[in-house]
Amino acid sequence: MRIRKIQLENLNLNDKRFQVSHFYSLDQLIQSIREVGLIYPPVVTQRNGFMVPVTGWKRILACKQLPLSPIPVFVSKETDDLKSFKLALFENLTTRGFDLIERAEIVSRLKKFGETEERIIQGYFPLFGIPPIYDYYDLYIKISRMNRKEKRITSEKKMALSVVEHLIQFSPKERKLIFPVIVFLSQNKQKELLESTREISLREEIPVQEIFNSDEIKDVLLSENLS
């Protein structure tokens, strides 16, 4: 790779194929760059005639907010998306961990870029502390299909895998009703509410929407005497 300076407007920030982190604050990073400059140049590569970020998304966005341009970058000539993504993956793996949503995004991208299920399970799961079995592969793929708002809440609230595992058993329309309620609860209460909701829905043969739209539930949610 060679290093060069590039204007930020020459980067295609709409191409997010290598980005797995979406929910974060840039405040400290902006302050750091303002004080000492950009110490570690991001890595970019060319796709479809444009330069796209491979690593250093947060650094690039922080420079954009300052604004600071041009910035130094390493230019990779790698044309294979899987190999480029692995560069981003292992760079971050050595400096920080990944949260639940980031791990789900990584599994989804590895699959998209052509890595086999067996290779993902046996080769990558141990790196993230995930048991190398198919059930977890299927679970993380389903989590990666949650909508952006659900992912943001899950990440910001640091929701446990055991809770999200229950959540994804509900339809997107059902989760839209459930999310505003469970975000204020403890982990144990979240699991209790999800398990009870599914149990009542199956036992009474009524939709989840009907449970959450019932007068009894509304009375509880609107009560000023309850936390």
Side-chain angles (χ1 to χ4, degrees):
M1 290 189 290
R2 60 191 177 91
I3 193 167
R4 57 176 284 197
K5 284 198 171 184
I6 188 170
Q7 297 288 344
L8 288 179
E9 56 263 31
N10 293 332
L11 284 175
N12 183 6
L13 300 182
N14 292 318
D15 190 330
K16 304 180 188 297
R17 73 182 73 189
F18 303 120
Q19 185 184 26
V20 297
S21 301
H22 301 278
F23 312 107
Y24 43 75
S25 170
L26 295 173
D27 294 344
Q28 289 186 337
L29 184 54
I30 288 174
Q31 182 63 26
S32 172
I33 294 174
R34 182 181 287 119
E35 293 291 336
V36 299
L38 183 61
I39 300 174
Y40 301 106
V43 176
V44 302
T45 191
Q46 192 170 49
R47 293 293 186 274
N48 303 318
F50 295 94
M51 289 294 183
V52 302
V54 177
T55 71
W57 266 94
K58 287 187 282 189
R59 281 166 277 166
I60 291 170
L61 295 176
C63 289
K64 185 178 180 181
Q65 285 194 32
L66 278 168
L68 178 63
S69 185
I71 63 170
V73 298
F74 286 108
V75 180
S76 170
K77 294 184 178 180
E78 180 58 66
T79 59
D80 183 84
D81 279 353
L82 177 58
K83 291 180 180 179
S84 295
F85 183 69
K86 287 169 67 174
L87 171 65
L89 172 61
F90 284 100
E91 179 189 279
N92 284 286
L93 192 62
T94 57
T95 57
R96 66 178 184 88
F98 295 102
D99 68 18
L100 173 59
I101 295 301
E102 290 171 332
R103 292 197 298 270
E105 293 288 343
I106 289 167
V107 172
S108 176
R109 299 298 172 85
L110 287 170
K111 177 185 178 183
K112 178 181 178 180
F113 293 144
E115 199 70 279
T116 65
E117 292 179 6
E118 182 179 0
R119 173 62 182 156
I120 293 171
I121 294 170
Q122 300 298 328
Y124 294 89
F125 277 14
L127 299 176
F128 310 128
I130 303 173
I133 56 178
Y134 179 80
D135 287 350
Y136 281 95
Y137 173 83
D138 184 56
L139 175 58
Y140 277 98
I141 289 295
K142 289 178 179 177
I143 293 173
S144 73
R145 293 171 181 161
M146 294 165 64
N147 65 45
R148 181 175 176 82
K149 183 177 181 179
E150 293 172 339
K151 290 178 180 178
R152 178 180 58 77
I153 295 173
T154 301
S155 179
E156 291 178 351
K157 298 296 182 179
K158 296 181 173 57
M159 295 175 67
L161 176 62
S162 58
V163 173
V164 180
E165 185 176 6
H166 284 291
L167 261 175
I168 59 175
Q169 295 177 29
F170 295 89
S171 70
K173 185 178 292 186
E174 292 169 340
R175 295 200 299 265
K176 189 175 181 180
L177 293 169
I178 295 171
F179 257 103
V181 179
I182 67 169
V183 293
F184 300 106
L185 304 177
S186 66
Q187 179 179 324
N188 288 337
K189 288 295 183 182
Q190 287 174 341
K191 292 174 65 176
E192 184 179 343
L193 183 142
L194 293 170
E195 291 170 352
S196 296
T197 298
R198 179 158 292 280
E199 180 184 341
I200 293 169
S201 178
L202 293 174
R203 185 184 66 228
E204 305 296 333
E205 298 183 346
I206 57 176
V208 170
Q209 290 91 328
E210 187 174 326
I211 297 173
F212 276 80
N213 288 325
S214 67
D215 290 336
E216 292 87 349
I217 293 294
K218 289 180 179 178
D219 286 343
V220 170
L221 295 178
L222 295 175
S223 174
E224 295 182 356
N225 298 320
L226 299 172
S227 63

